[in-house]
């Protein structure tokens, strides 16, 4: 149960469109629009939505915030600035945790976004349980409507997403078995021996270790080991011609 | 040491401007631009930056990605799609952790962002250590340039930000001492007694508990307790007139 996005008094159709796009990026589909200044439906919104028409086509229009949130049980008012109001203030990630927890209990939540320049009125904020503020560079914190929807929507999306934080380079590929790596080491070191690369027998073990560590660290795939064999053969061949 | 943002071959000046705005929102200031299609400097970029001129004015122009990243030691190539390349893939939050860790060791990192429609070429991606992909709705994952910069920049910003996730409603206010709450309970219950609200003496304790729990849960400030005294007095007065 994803949170509902309520755009309160949006001025430009374009901004409703880009907000709808940001919603769909984050898997949010329930858009409610309160008293849009330039009317509804909006061709400019459609053009700016870059294909997020499923969100715009099912958007619902309301005359007041009270009507738009009437069926919701927990409401967050987004605000760029602190309000002199006795109300908790939460970050997007905290709100996302709360919303997912409440959804699991069957409680539907809504996110209020205010007008482009002036935001939500204090009367509108009073209808919400919590203020929701995105931590940003305090010297330059103004976001446009779609960016605010994107950052807050993405905090919600990310909590439910199971993409691994880090997928190793060889993900889904055949990582070289260690014996193939050892075979490559022998090939490389054997090709280097006659060239004088190792300078002295005393220096050789340290230099071999440095080379082996470099290639072990690269976490080579089986295919890359074959490529490296080819590289040594190619260079070794040239070297022999030069001898 | 914040990461450097490298915009590779941006087509529209507007997008460079909105990307600069997103950068400054997240405290990123080092912008490098590789071969912008419509030239540089750009009036459209300035107009779209909504005041983030400090970023645009210090932006540096390069002819190639190689030159733009020459002084960096760890590079992330942003990509909306998987590439058939042996390279780790990380999320924005993982990249943010790595970048902050590396910065602490004096290693400077860069984030490559590709052209609006076609992204980075495979040759450009090959210059990077890791692919950086923002997890989004797989059915609708296209972001514009500024939105990509914002989501990735914000992951980095948020890691260094100490805004509490949750600031209680009464933050910075005088929370009511419990004795003042008890005083209010006595006032309320005493005003209710003669009205028959509690129906019977057996029911009274349960109803009192329900009322007290409600007001305790609200975590009232000292001022709100005074307001509620006023409410009870006002209503009680009316009630007496009606008796």
């Amino acid at each position: 149960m994803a949170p509902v996005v309520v755009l309160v008094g949006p001025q430009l159709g374009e901004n409703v469109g880009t907000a709808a796009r940001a919603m769909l990026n984050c898997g949010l589909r329930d858009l409610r629009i309160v008293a849009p200044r330039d009317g509804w439906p909006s061709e400019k919104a459609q053009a700016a939505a870059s294909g997020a028409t499923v969100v715009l086509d099912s958007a619902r229009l309301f005359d007041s915030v009270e009507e738009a949130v009437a069926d919701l049980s927990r409401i967050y008012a987004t605000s760029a600035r602190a309000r002199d109001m006795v109300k908790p203030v939460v970050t997007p990630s905290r709100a996302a945790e709360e919303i997912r927890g409440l959804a699991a209990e069957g409680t539907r939540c809504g996110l209020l976004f205010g007008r482009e320049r002036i935001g939500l009125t204090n009367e509108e904020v009073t209808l919400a349980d919590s203020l929701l503020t995105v931590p940003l560079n305090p010297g330059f914190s103004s976001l446009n409507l779609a960016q605010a929807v994107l950052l807050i929507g993405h905090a919600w999306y990310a909590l439910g997403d199971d993409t691994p934080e880090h997928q190793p380079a060889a993900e889904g590929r055949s990582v070289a078995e260690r014996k193939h790596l050892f075979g490559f080491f022998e090939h490389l070191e054997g090709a280097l021996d006659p060239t004088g690369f190792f300078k002295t027998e005393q220096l050789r073990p340290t230099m071999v270790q440095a080379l082996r560590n470099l290639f072990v660290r690269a976490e080579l795939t089986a295919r890359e080991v074959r490529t490296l064999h080819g590289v040594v053969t190619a260079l070794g061949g040239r070297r022999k011609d030069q001898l």
Side-chain angles (χ1 to χ4, degrees), chain A:
Chain A
M1 200 155 54
V4 171
V5 170
V6 184
L7 303 184
V8 181
Q11 296 170 298
L12 298 173
E14 288 89 332
N15 290 333
V16 179
T18 52
R21 177 184 181 181
M23 284 176 63
L24 196 54
N25 281 149
C26 303
L28 303 177
R29 288 161 179 273
D30 192 341
L31 172 62
R32 304 181 183 183
I33 309 170
V34 177
R37 189 192 66 182
D38 290 348
W40 194 258
S42 157
E43 280 181 23
K44 287 182 176 172
Q46 288 285 350
S50 299
T53 46
V54 60
V55 174
L56 292 180
D57 292 348
S58 61
R60 291 160 63 195
L61 196 64
F62 294 88
D63 290 327
S64 69
V65 178
E66 284 88 338
E67 291 168 86
V69 303
D71 61 332
L72 307 177
S73 302
R74 175 72 76 95
I75 298 159
Y76 295 83
T78 62
S79 181
R81 58 196 163 87
R83 308 268 184 156
D84 186 29
M85 228 176 260
V86 189
K87 215 173 269 296
V89 182
V90 297
T91 61
S93 56
R94 168 68 183 233
E97 283 170 28
E98 292 180 0
I99 289 168
R100 287 199 176 264
L102 288 162
E105 300 164 2
T107 300
R108 191 114 202 246
C109 301
L111 303 165
L112 300 185
F113 293 86
R115 298 153 193 85
E116 285 89 337
R117 297 211 172 269
I118 57 166
L120 296 164
T121 65
N122 281 344
E123 288 71 19
E124 289 160 350
V125 169
T126 298
L127 303 174
D129 299 88
S130 302
L131 281 163
L132 174 48
T133 299
V134 183
L136 289 168
N137 176 0
F140 191 81
S141 63
S142 96
L143 289 176
N144 74 27
L145 188 55
Q147 286 170 317
V149 170
L150 183 69
L151 283 178
I152 292 167
H154 191 257
W156 177 84
Y157 182 83
L159 263 194
D161 180 70
D162 58 2
T163 305
E165 289 269 287
H166 176 267
Q167 297 169 57
E171 177 95 347
R173 290 167 206 274
S174 161
V175 179
E177 288 173 38
R178 208 43 64 100
K179 67 185 176 204
H180 295 131
L181 209 53
F182 298 158
F184 168 67
F185 291 163
E186 283 178 26
H187 183 183
L188 173 65
E189 292 151 17
L192 287 171
D193 271 325
T195 68
F197 174 83
F198 291 122
K199 290 173 185 140
T200 70
E201 270 306 302
Q202 272 114 332
L203 282 174
R204 191 178 188 282
T206 317
M207 295 177 77
V208 161
Q209 281 166 32
L211 279 174
R212 290 187 174 195
N213 279 333
L214 177 169
F215 286 109
V216 167
R217 202 168 61 234
E219 297 176 21
L220 301 168
T221 65
R223 182 175 189 163
E224 287 168 338
V225 171
R226 289 196 295 276
T227 301
L228 287 172
H229 272 293
V231 167
V232 172
T233 301
L235 293 176
R238 186 143 42 88
R239 176 69 65 178
K240 274 181 202 148
D241 296 343
Q242 292 170 348
L243 288 175

